[in-house]
Amino acid sequence: MAQRTFSIVKPDAVRKHFTGAILAQIDKAGFQIVAIKKASISKEQAKGFYAVHAGKPFFDALTTFMSSGPLFLMVLEKDNAIADLRKLMGATNPANAEEGTIRKNFAGSLQENAIHGSDAEDTAAFEIGYWFAGYELA
Ligand code: CDP
Ligand code: MG
């Protein structure tokens, strides 16, 4: 059954002009781009989005990075979208990412790893609702 997930082309990838190549890879993999918008988010907005990581050693640097420049917020849809996007993204640390994955192709480091993807149904619902209003997804 069609499922929605939430994704971000992170600021490192936008700065390096990888946006088009990343979107092409997502498109070719069969995802529908339900909604997409460019944004420059504040550190406070990044902290709210990544609240699950509050208190971890990388939280401050991560939220500074995510608020360091424009990014693209997206809602993607396909059968098994959540797991399939995670597979397409590759491991969090690009050093461990499989050949051909987005992170293997485009990520520069563990922090600056090009793309975000929701990891479960409940986090996808929270993340879509955090960045998109219902009327934007109709
Ligand atoms: O993004 P993903 O779900 O694969 O990883 P995460 O464990 O949920 O961590 C969120 C983000 O924090 C990662 O994508 C990295 O950008 C960053 N991170 C980091 O800078 N250092 C770590 N040790 C772990 C994650
Ligand atoms: Mg995660």
Side-chain angles (χ1 to χ4, degrees), residues 50 52-53 86 92 103 116-119 127:
Y50 276 124
V52 64
H53 293 307
R86 295 289 307 193
T92 307
R103 282 170 165 165
H116 168 85
S118 308
D119 62 4
E127 292 172 359

Side-chain angles (χ1 to χ4, degrees), residues 10 50 52-53 56-59 61-62 65-66 86 89-93 103 109-119:
K10 292 186 178 184
Y50 276 124
V52 64
H53 293 307
K56 294 192 185 159
F58 60 85
F59 184 66
L62 171 62
F65 159 58
M66 291 299 286
R86 295 289 307 193
M89 286 163 51
T92 307
N93 187 341
R103 282 170 165 165
S109 69
L110 172 57
Q111 177 182 267
E112 303 203 356
N113 61 0
I115 185 165
H116 168 85
S118 308
D119 62 4

